[in-house]
Amino acid sequence: MTNIILLGPPGSGKGTQAKLLAERISVPHISTGDILRAAKETELGDRASEYMNRGELVPDSILIAIVEDRLAKPDCASGCILDGYPRTIPQADALNRILSGLDLRIDLVINIDVPDDRLITRLSARRVCECGATYQLTFNPPKKEGVCDLCGGALYQRDDDTEESVRNRLLVYKRETKPLINYYENLGLLTTIDGSGSIKEISDEIYAYVQ
Ligand code: AP5
Ligand code: MG
């Protein structure tokens, strides 16, 4: 059983790496951003998108309820990879409570470190597909412009990948989420990896570490 948190600023590659690692070690990939985006046209989705489009965090109470519900599902019994949660100290404290109630614990926290200028470059040219695939026009382009390699769907830009929203997401990360680096370091769970290499290099490094 392996419960892993991927920590890192917006654009650091949490989603990209969580997906690859989840396939390699056969555990579910839980992205709270994806869960909120998938809730569009529901009351939750409408409420969340007001925060998300501005690059603000959605309130802790909403996220804690989402994660509590998701971790109780049977597929998490063999472990999971958390991408984008926790993002605040109260969310981390709640996660400890939720996991201990399920007789589970966090095994490892991987902090993906990428310089700010590279984050902005990555996010401004990110394109995504409804099927969950993510591309980057320079580093990881689709074979055919605007079309998903995996499902043939039309690629689009996320509503929060505007320059203004990206800048705010970085500020919010530094204020609210970065303190989790010390939090997990103090618990002896943190390892930091350099996230500026290629997707494959980073994936291999994470996999070797997890093994
Ligand atoms: P979320 O969806 O989690 O967004 P984020 O944290 O801002 O992170 P991103 O998804 O933008 O980046 P990523 O690290 O996953 O990078 P990716 O792999 O895509 O959250 C969105 C919003 O939802 C939040 O702002 C908030 O409002 C709300 N929310 C979610 N969780 C919440 C919570 N717990 N509490 C409160 N609110 C919450 O990679 C980025 C790009 O770079 C891609 O184009 C990719 O192809 C490319 N790339 C990846 N790796 C490399 C590489 N090694 N080299 C070159 N390019 C690369
Ligand atoms: Mg992501």
Side-chain angles (χ1 to χ4, degrees), residues 61-73 76 85 94-95 97-99 101-102:
S61 56
I62 296 180
L63 267 296
I64 292 167
I66 288 175
V67 166
E68 185 157 28
D69 188 56
R70 183 64 187 89
L71 289 176
K73 299 251 155 63
C76 293
Y85 184 99
L95 180 62
R97 280 198 306 276
I98 294 167
L99 287 175
L102 294 163

mmCIF file of all heavy atoms in Angstrom, residues 61-73 76 85 94-95 97-99 101-102:
data_model
loop_
_atom_site.group_PDB
_atom_site.id
_atom_site.type_symbol
_atom_site.label_atom_id
_atom_site.label_comp_id
_atom_site.label_asym_id
_atom_site.label_seq_id
_atom_site.Cartn_x
_atom_site.Cartn_y
_atom_site.Cartn_z
ATOM 1 N N SER A 61 -13.202 23.727 3.472
ATOM 2 C CA SER A 61 -14.290 22.812 3.876
ATOM 3 C C SER A 61 -14.769 21.997 2.674
ATOM 4 O O SER A 61 -15.060 20.793 2.797
ATOM 5 C CB SER A 61 -15.453 23.605 4.471
ATOM 6 O OG SER A 61 -15.863 24.570 3.512
ATOM 7 N N ILE A 62 -14.822 22.617 1.491
ATOM 8 C CA ILE A 62 -15.291 21.924 0.280
ATOM 9 C C ILE A 62 -14.292 20.836 -0.104
ATOM 10 O O ILE A 62 -14.647 19.690 -0.371
ATOM 11 C CB ILE A 62 -15.479 22.923 -0.885
ATOM 12 C CG1 ILE A 62 -16.569 23.927 -0.539
ATOM 13 C CG2 ILE A 62 -15.776 22.195 -2.196
ATOM 14 C CD1 ILE A 62 -16.844 24.955 -1.628
ATOM 15 N N LEU A 63 -13.006 21.198 -0.103
ATOM 16 C CA LEU A 63 -11.971 20.240 -0.522
ATOM 17 C C LEU A 63 -11.856 19.080 0.453
ATOM 18 O O LEU A 63 -11.669 17.926 0.042
ATOM 19 C CB LEU A 63 -10.627 20.968 -0.648
ATOM 20 C CG LEU A 63 -10.313 21.493 -2.045
ATOM 21 C CD1 LEU A 63 -10.177 20.352 -3.030
ATOM 22 C CD2 LEU A 63 -11.345 22.467 -2.542
ATOM 23 N N ILE A 64 -11.954 19.365 1.736
ATOM 24 C CA ILE A 64 -11.805 18.303 2.728
ATOM 25 C C ILE A 64 -12.936 17.283 2.548
ATOM 26 O O ILE A 64 -12.712 16.070 2.561
ATOM 27 C CB ILE A 64 -11.763 18.906 4.161
ATOM 28 C CG1 ILE A 64 -10.460 19.705 4.324
ATOM 29 C CG2 ILE A 64 -11.883 17.818 5.231
ATOM 30 C CD1 ILE A 64 -10.396 20.601 5.551
ATOM 31 N N ALA A 65 -14.155 17.783 2.304
ATOM 32 C CA ALA A 65 -15.291 16.863 2.090
ATOM 33 C C ALA A 65 -15.076 16.021 0.831
ATOM 34 O O ALA A 65 -15.357 14.808 0.821
ATOM 35 C CB ALA A 65 -16.588 17.670 1.992
ATOM 36 N N ILE A 66 -14.564 16.642 -0.234
ATOM 37 C CA ILE A 66 -14.326 15.913 -1.496
ATOM 38 C C ILE A 66 -13.311 14.792 -1.271
ATOM 39 O O ILE A 66 -13.506 13.642 -1.685
ATOM 40 C CB ILE A 66 -13.808 16.875 -2.601
ATOM 41 C CG1 ILE A 66 -14.928 17.796 -3.075
ATOM 42 C CG2 ILE A 66 -13.207 16.104 -3.775
ATOM 43 C CD1 ILE A 66 -14.483 18.858 -4.090
ATOM 44 N N VAL A 67 -12.226 15.122 -0.585
ATOM 45 C CA VAL A 67 -11.146 14.141 -0.414
ATOM 46 C C VAL A 67 -11.570 13.033 0.554
ATOM 47 O O VAL A 67 -11.258 11.857 0.344
ATOM 48 C CB VAL A 67 -9.848 14.864 0.029
ATOM 49 C CG1 VAL A 67 -8.814 13.896 0.551
ATOM 50 C CG2 VAL A 67 -9.286 15.626 -1.163
ATOM 51 N N GLU A 68 -12.314 13.406 1.567
ATOM 52 C CA GLU A 68 -12.791 12.398 2.525
ATOM 53 C C GLU A 68 -13.652 11.361 1.800
ATOM 54 O O GLU A 68 -13.497 10.150 1.976
ATOM 55 C CB GLU A 68 -13.591 13.082 3.632
ATOM 56 C CG GLU A 68 -14.023 12.124 4.719
ATOM 57 C CD GLU A 68 -14.312 12.832 6.034
ATOM 58 O OE1 GLU A 68 -14.692 14.030 5.999
ATOM 59 O OE2 GLU A 68 -14.160 12.187 7.081
ATOM 60 N N ASP A 69 -14.513 11.860 0.949
ATOM 61 C CA ASP A 69 -15.407 11.006 0.182
ATOM 62 C C ASP A 69 -14.606 10.113 -0.789
ATOM 63 O O ASP A 69 -14.829 8.914 -0.886
ATOM 64 C CB ASP A 69 -16.331 11.955 -0.601
ATOM 65 C CG ASP A 69 -17.429 11.228 -1.282
ATOM 66 O OD1 ASP A 69 -18.146 10.519 -0.577
ATOM 67 O OD2 ASP A 69 -17.545 11.359 -2.529
ATOM 68 N N ARG A 70 -13.648 10.704 -1.469
ATOM 69 C CA ARG A 70 -12.872 9.964 -2.489
ATOM 70 C C ARG A 70 -11.989 8.892 -1.847
ATOM 71 O O ARG A 70 -11.880 7.771 -2.356
ATOM 72 C CB ARG A 70 -12.019 10.967 -3.299
ATOM 73 C CG ARG A 70 -11.214 10.342 -4.438
ATOM 74 C CD ARG A 70 -12.122 9.739 -5.497
ATOM 75 N NE ARG A 70 -11.390 8.987 -6.508
ATOM 76 C CZ ARG A 70 -11.085 7.690 -6.420
ATOM 77 N NH1 ARG A 70 -11.427 6.991 -5.347
ATOM 78 N NH2 ARG A 70 -10.442 7.077 -7.395
ATOM 79 N N LEU A 71 -11.359 9.216 -0.712
ATOM 80 C CA LEU A 71 -10.442 8.250 -0.098
ATOM 81 C C LEU A 71 -11.171 7.060 0.518
ATOM 82 O O LEU A 71 -10.567 6.011 0.747
ATOM 83 C CB LEU A 71 -9.575 8.934 0.975
ATOM 84 C CG LEU A 71 -8.519 9.891 0.434
ATOM 85 C CD1 LEU A 71 -7.790 10.590 1.571
ATOM 86 C CD2 LEU A 71 -7.509 9.166 -0.468
ATOM 87 N N ALA A 72 -12.466 7.237 0.747
ATOM 88 C CA ALA A 72 -13.241 6.129 1.320
ATOM 89 C C ALA A 72 -13.647 5.105 0.256
ATOM 90 O O ALA A 72 -14.158 4.035 0.568
ATOM 91 C CB ALA A 72 -14.474 6.681 2.019
ATOM 92 N N LYS A 73 -13.418 5.429 -1.026
ATOM 93 C CA LYS A 73 -13.803 4.498 -2.105
ATOM 94 C C LYS A 73 -12.874 3.278 -2.095
ATOM 95 O O LYS A 73 -11.684 3.394 -1.786
ATOM 96 C CB LYS A 73 -13.716 5.206 -3.475
ATOM 97 C CG LYS A 73 -14.654 6.402 -3.599
ATOM 98 C CD LYS A 73 -15.801 6.099 -4.539
ATOM 99 C CE LYS A 73 -17.044 6.921 -4.282
ATOM 100 N NZ LYS A 73 -16.934 8.350 -4.450
ATOM 101 N N CYS A 76 -9.120 2.956 -3.297
ATOM 102 C CA CYS A 76 -8.006 3.595 -2.577
ATOM 103 C C CYS A 76 -7.399 2.676 -1.519
ATOM 104 O O CYS A 76 -6.402 3.038 -0.891
ATOM 105 C CB CYS A 76 -8.463 4.889 -1.914
ATOM 106 S SG CYS A 76 -8.884 6.140 -3.115
ATOM 107 N N TYR A 85 -3.690 18.197 -3.649
ATOM 108 C CA TYR A 85 -4.232 18.175 -2.287
ATOM 109 C C TYR A 85 -3.207 17.482 -1.409
ATOM 110 O O TYR A 85 -2.698 16.430 -1.818
ATOM 111 C CB TYR A 85 -5.554 17.403 -2.214
ATOM 112 C CG TYR A 85 -6.169 17.469 -0.826
ATOM 113 C CD1 TYR A 85 -7.187 18.363 -0.532
ATOM 114 C CD2 TYR A 85 -5.678 16.660 0.212
ATOM 115 C CE1 TYR A 85 -7.703 18.459 0.757
ATOM 116 C CE2 TYR A 85 -6.193 16.762 1.494
ATOM 117 C CZ TYR A 85 -7.204 17.649 1.751
ATOM 118 O OH TYR A 85 -7.723 17.762 3.032
ATOM 119 N N ALA A 94 -6.385 17.849 8.115
ATOM 120 C CA ALA A 94 -7.599 17.048 7.859
ATOM 121 C C ALA A 94 -7.228 15.721 7.203
ATOM 122 O O ALA A 94 -7.812 14.678 7.527
ATOM 123 C CB ALA A 94 -8.565 17.833 6.978
ATOM 124 N N LEU A 95 -6.245 15.745 6.308
ATOM 125 C CA LEU A 95 -5.836 14.503 5.638
ATOM 126 C C LEU A 95 -5.303 13.496 6.660
ATOM 127 O O LEU A 95 -5.615 12.299 6.580
ATOM 128 C CB LEU A 95 -4.771 14.817 4.581
ATOM 129 C CG LEU A 95 -4.241 13.617 3.806
ATOM 130 C CD1 LEU A 95 -5.354 12.937 3.007
ATOM 131 C CD2 LEU A 95 -3.108 14.034 2.869
ATOM 132 N N ARG A 97 -6.190 13.214 9.701
ATOM 133 C CA ARG A 97 -7.355 12.674 10.424
ATOM 134 C C ARG A 97 -8.093 11.654 9.561
ATOM 135 O O ARG A 97 -8.457 10.574 10.034
ATOM 136 C CB ARG A 97 -8.337 13.804 10.787
ATOM 137 C CG ARG A 97 -7.968 14.616 12.013
ATOM 138 C CD ARG A 97 -9.191 15.379 12.535
ATOM 139 N NE ARG A 97 -9.861 16.213 11.527
ATOM 140 C CZ ARG A 97 -9.466 17.446 11.214
ATOM 141 N NH1 ARG A 97 -8.406 17.998 11.808
ATOM 142 N NH2 ARG A 97 -10.120 18.147 10.311
ATOM 143 N N ILE A 98 -8.309 12.016 8.297
ATOM 144 C CA ILE A 98 -9.076 11.136 7.398
ATOM 145 C C ILE A 98 -8.340 9.804 7.252
ATOM 146 O O ILE A 98 -8.927 8.726 7.378
ATOM 147 C CB ILE A 98 -9.266 11.791 6.006
ATOM 148 C CG1 ILE A 98 -10.134 13.037 6.106
ATOM 149 C CG2 ILE A 98 -9.863 10.792 5.011
ATOM 150 C CD1 ILE A 98 -10.111 13.930 4.847
ATOM 151 N N LEU A 99 -7.036 9.863 6.990
ATOM 152 C CA LEU A 99 -6.280 8.627 6.755
ATOM 153 C C LEU A 99 -6.217 7.784 8.022
ATOM 154 O O LEU A 99 -6.389 6.561 7.968
ATOM 155 C CB LEU A 99 -4.863 8.948 6.256
ATOM 156 C CG LEU A 99 -4.771 9.459 4.819
ATOM 157 C CD1 LEU A 99 -3.342 9.852 4.490
ATOM 158 C CD2 LEU A 99 -5.266 8.428 3.812
ATOM 159 N N GLY A 101 -8.357 7.604 10.325
ATOM 160 C CA GLY A 101 -9.688 7.000 10.492
ATOM 161 C C GLY A 101 -9.885 5.785 9.602
ATOM 162 O O GLY A 101 -10.701 4.905 9.891
ATOM 163 N N LEU A 102 -9.132 5.728 8.504
ATOM 164 C CA LEU A 102 -9.238 4.585 7.574
ATOM 165 C C LEU A 102 -8.104 3.587 7.816
ATOM 166 O O LEU A 102 -7.924 2.643 7.047
ATOM 167 C CB LEU A 102 -9.151 5.084 6.124
ATOM 168 C CG LEU A 102 -10.302 5.965 5.637
ATOM 169 C CD1 LEU A 102 -9.898 6.711 4.365
ATOM 170 C CD2 LEU A 102 -11.543 5.110 5.371
#
